[in-house]
């Protein structure tokens, strides 16, 4: 079964032709500013609470960039929680607040996440285009809960994950616009890993991200997923999904070399840690219904030495 070849070009079109930023970030990000210091500390707390993998990977960055990517994470987390935890009418109103914040840098005076994110947006010259696409991507969950093809799903993955990679590139620094397709591909791989890990949980929440076309190809019905059936056909289906996702990770690796040196290890770590989740899914016989696959702290630490050698070889 072949992946539809056109999806990559479609995602490149969504990314657009954003020129490479030649202006360096402002050096001072919270020096002497107690309010900004408090804002960035709140972003750090949110990141630590919600994502051990992101916290671990971002810890490999210098302090200023580490704080900035955690402000990015806190923004993404906050927007995502709006969709997951609010009624539709309330969600739309709150998302409009964040759209306005991105476009105008105006926000409620006591909104610490917005304060940190506004500073990061300005300091690293992050295209607002990507932040707005992220908000629209997350908002898609309010109106769509099924995806017919992988091509359609890849567009969703772009909105909620590739945009994060494109914004992260502006924070860690990149050498050439040629890095853009690789960042997009890595984002799709990361989001597909989330999707495969969370099949059972997402279905309980009324969402099924797996392409219906591919489920039908393997003879899997929604009733099988509702019942959490781990059959031979389910194993074959998951193996196909994992193999494709691993291929995306492999193809995205060339983009790491196009990042500035101090960002290569952190981005590489995010890729390696999430690939470890795929290993865990396989290790537990593709059962994503009764347990949530995760990589332990030891599992993360054990992958750093080989990753460091791989990054060093990029020089």
């Amino acid at each position: 079964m072949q992946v539809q070849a056109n999806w990559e070009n479609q995602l490149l079109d969504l990314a657009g032709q954003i020129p490479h930023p030649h202006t360096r970030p402002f050096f001072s990000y919270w020096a002497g500013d107690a309010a900004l210091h408090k804002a960035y500390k709140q972003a750090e707390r949110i990141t630590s609470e919600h994502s051990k993998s992101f916290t671990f990977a971002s810890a490999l960055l210098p302090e200023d960039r580490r704080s900035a990517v955690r402000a990015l994470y806190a923004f993404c987390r906050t927007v995502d929680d709006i969709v997951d935890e609010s009624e539709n009418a309330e969600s739309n109103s709150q998302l409009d607040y964040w759209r306005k914040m991105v476009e105008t840098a105006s926000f409620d005076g006591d909104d610490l996440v917005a304060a940190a994110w506004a500073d990061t947006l300005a300091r690293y010259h992050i295209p607002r285009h990507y932040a707005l696409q992220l908000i629209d991507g997350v908002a898609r969950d309010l109106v769509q809960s099924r995806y017919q093809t992988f091509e359609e799903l890849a567009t969703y993955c772009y909105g909620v994950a590739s945009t994060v990679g494109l914004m992260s590139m502006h924070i860690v620094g990149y050498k050439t616009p040629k890095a853009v397709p690789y960042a997009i591909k890595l984002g799709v791989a990361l989001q597909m890993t989330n999707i495969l890990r969370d099949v059972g949980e997402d279905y309980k929440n009324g969402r099924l991200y797996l392409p219906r076309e591919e489920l039908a190809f393997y003879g899997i019905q929604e009733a099988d997923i509702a019942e959490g059936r781990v059959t031979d056909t389910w194993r074959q289906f998951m193996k196909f999904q994992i193999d494709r996702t691993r291929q995306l990770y492999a193809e995205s690796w060339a983009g790491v070399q196009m990042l500035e040196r101090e960002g290569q290890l952190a981005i590489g770590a995010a890729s390696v840690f999430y690939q470890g989740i795929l290993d865990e899914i396989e290790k537990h016989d593709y059962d994503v219904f009764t347990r949530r696959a995760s990589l332990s702290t030891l599992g993360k630490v054990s992958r750093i030495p080989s990753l460091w050698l791989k990054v060093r070889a990029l020089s």
Side-chain angles (χ1 to χ4, degrees):
M1 189 172 186
Q2 297 297 316
V3 176
Q4 298 183 33
N6 202 36
W7 68 267
E8 294 182 53
N9 290 329
Q10 291 183 2
L11 302 193
L12 281 170
D13 288 342
L14 287 173
Q17 298 295 321
I18 303 292
H20 183 265
H22 295 290
T23 308
R24 295 185 64 82
F26 304 124
F27 175 74
S28 178
Y29 58 108
W30 64 31
D33 191 326
L36 266 183
H37 180 80
K38 183 179 179 182
Y40 276 105
K41 284 298 181 184
Q42 175 66 7
E44 181 180 327
R45 281 191 289 271
I46 290 172
T47 305
S48 177
E49 177 182 349
H50 289 282
S51 178
K52 292 182 175 60
S53 292
F54 197 95
T55 300
F56 198 129
S58 61
L60 301 170
L61 289 166
E63 181 185 5
D64 56 342
R65 285 171 166 76
R66 177 169 69 246
S67 298
V69 297
R70 289 175 178 175
L72 167 58
Y73 179 89
F75 158 66
C76 297
R77 179 78 262 168
T78 300
V79 171
D80 192 52
D81 285 347
I82 288 172
V83 171
D84 286 343
E85 298 173 4
S86 305
E87 296 296 328
N88 276 25
E90 184 181 348
S91 293
N92 288 323
S93 175
Q94 292 181 32
L95 292 175
D96 284 341
Y97 162 82
W98 280 100
R99 290 187 181 97
K100 183 179 178 182
M101 179 265 143
V102 168
E103 291 173 332
T104 67
S106 61
F107 52 89
D108 296 341
D110 59 351
D111 191 334
L112 295 178
V113 172
W117 178 229
D119 184 64
T120 292
L121 272 170
R123 189 158 45 89
Y124 287 96
H125 314 288
I126 297 172
R128 270 53 172 182
H129 174 66
Y130 295 145
L132 293 172
Q133 284 183 327
L134 181 282
I135 296 171
D136 290 344
V138 171
R140 194 168 179 175
D141 277 339
L142 295 172
V143 296
Q144 185 170 0
S145 62
R146 300 293 188 275
Y147 293 84
Q148 186 63 26
T149 66
F150 179 77
E151 184 174 40
E152 188 181 3
L153 181 59
T155 303
Y156 171 79
C157 291
Y158 170 87
V160 299
S162 295
T163 53
V164 181
L166 292 167
M167 289 187 281
S168 297
M169 281 201 328
H170 282 74
I171 295 173
V172 304
Y174 62 103
K175 304 168 187 174
T176 169
K178 292 180 181 178
V180 168
Y182 298 101
I184 291 174
K185 193 168 290 190
L186 177 57
V188 174
L190 293 170
Q191 187 60 27
M192 283 303 303
T193 302
N194 284 334
I195 287 169
L196 297 176
R197 177 193 62 193
D198 296 336
V199 172
E201 181 181 346
D202 286 337
Y203 194 80
K204 289 175 183 176
N205 292 327
R207 297 169 186 155
L208 179 62
Y209 296 103
L210 303 173
R212 284 177 160 180
E213 181 180 82
E214 295 173 0
L215 288 168
F217 181 86
Y218 283 90
I220 297 169
Q221 299 180 353
E222 280 205 27
D224 299 317
I225 295 171
E227 294 296 325
R229 296 171 186 156
V230 181
T231 62
D232 285 342
T233 53
W234 175 254
R235 294 182 185 96
Q236 292 167 16
F237 171 81
M238 286 294 286
K239 183 179 185 306
F240 168 74
Q241 298 294 329
I242 288 173
D243 286 348
R244 176 172 57 196
T245 305
R246 283 198 176 119
Q247 183 63 30
L248 292 174
Y249 280 119
E251 292 172 4
S252 70
W253 178 255
V256 174
Q257 189 171 8
M258 300 176 191
L259 302 175
E260 296 295 346
R261 181 70 176 171
E262 59 189 10
Q264 291 175 352
L265 188 60
I267 300 303
S271 174
V272 167
F273 293 164
Y274 268 71
Q275 289 179 68
I277 292 173
L278 299 179
D279 296 340
E280 289 295 307
I281 292 173
E282 288 178 328
K283 187 184 299 183
H284 291 87
D285 196 31
Y286 306 103
D287 181 4
V288 290
F289 303 108
T290 63
R291 65 182 305 280
R292 191 174 191 265
S294 62
L295 194 62
S296 67
T297 300
L298 179 60
K300 295 183 181 77
V301 172
S302 67
R303 284 166 166 78
I304 292 296
S306 60
L307 172 63
W308 184 82
L309 292 173
K310 191 175 180 181
V311 168
R312 189 180 181 188
L314 295 174
S315 303

